[in-house]
């Protein structure tokens, strides 16, 4: 049963073992700064995509029909997902620098993001990942989606940047997997943008990591998957509601309990 720890109780420098298999309520950047360098074997995360900062009308004002029921129309708990793009990129680069500090020389970050078209041009997140050691891009092919713009085709995939330090290697046999993963998105989850367990199971089981961190934990899928694969985890989220959701999920309780 995981414990929820409020980051206000943390010291400036913490011993990582005290936080294994726990959920930390707080700002991800602030919490990561408190952990020792090289203390996390693997980081698997998907930050807010900044979808509300949109030049298209669909996300800004809704169009009725299917979109009015989309959870992301209201943003996330504690994050409205609407930052000026340059500020958003600076924030995410700061987060990635901390992630790089936390992983050892054989560690890696699996950083899931979504490419978007803004003002008629592709945002491939290159502004965020520039200069980081991206070893590979995995295509996560999912089903469905909504596109109000007649200027481009409906996007049906997201990308996972494998940002790895020099000595990182996959678990035995995992290199036989391809780099396009067709996995259905999570449908029965109250979080607006949840990871599917199958996706994270594939990532974690493909590594030799013992301790896995998710600094944008949401509904706690990374924790669930870590348990599935007999690994330790640390989850961070700035929403008390999502931390409780993750705790209930890891405890095996129903969403509404």
């Amino acid at each position: 049963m995981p414990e929820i720890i409020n980051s206000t109780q943390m010291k400036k420098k913490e011993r990582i073992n005290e936080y294994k298999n726990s959920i930390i309520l707080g700002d991800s950047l602030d919490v990561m700064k408190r952990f020792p360098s090289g203390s996390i074997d693997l980081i698997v995360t998907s930050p807010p995509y900044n979808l509300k900062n949109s030049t298209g009308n669909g996300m800004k004002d809704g169009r009725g029909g299917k979109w009015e029921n989309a959870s992301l129309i209201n943003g996330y708990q504690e994050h409205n997902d609407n930052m000026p793009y340059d500020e958003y990129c600076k924030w995410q680069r700061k987060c990635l620098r901390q992630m790089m500090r936390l992983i050892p020389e054989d560690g890696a970050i699996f950083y899931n993001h979504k490419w978007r078209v803004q003002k008629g041009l592709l945002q491939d997140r290159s502004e965020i990942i520039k200069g980081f050691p991206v070893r590979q891009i995995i295509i996560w092919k999912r089903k469905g989606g909504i596109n109000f713009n007649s200027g481009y085709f409906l996007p049906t995939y997201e990308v996972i940047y494998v940002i790895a330090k020099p000595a990182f290697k996959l678990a035995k046999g995992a290199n036989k997997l391809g780099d396009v993963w067709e996995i259905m998105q999570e449908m029965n989850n109250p979080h607006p943008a949840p990871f599917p367990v199958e996706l994270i199971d594939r990532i974690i089981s493909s590594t030799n990591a013992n301790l896995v961190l998710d600094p944008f934990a949401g509904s706690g899928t990374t924790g669930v998957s870590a348990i599935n694969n007999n690994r330790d985890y640390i989850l961070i989220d700035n929403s008390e509601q999502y931390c409780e959701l993750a705790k209930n999920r890891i405890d095996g309780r129903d969403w509404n309990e």
Side-chain angles (χ1 to χ4, degrees), residues 21 50 66 80 85 92 94 97 119 126 147 161 166 207 236:
N21 303 315
N50 211 36
K66 293 180 181 179
N80 67 7
Y85 191 60
Q92 281 302 296
K94 287 180 181 178
R97 281 194 288 271
K119 296 182 179 179
S126 58
N147 182 16
Y161 297 96
T207 77
I236 307 170

Side-chain angles (χ1 to χ4, degrees), residues 22-37:
S22 64
I23 303 167
I24 301 173
L25 171 60
D27 177 78
S28 60
L29 191 55
D30 176 65
V31 173
M32 285 193 288
K33 287 178 180 178
R34 299 168 190 259
F35 288 150
S37 299

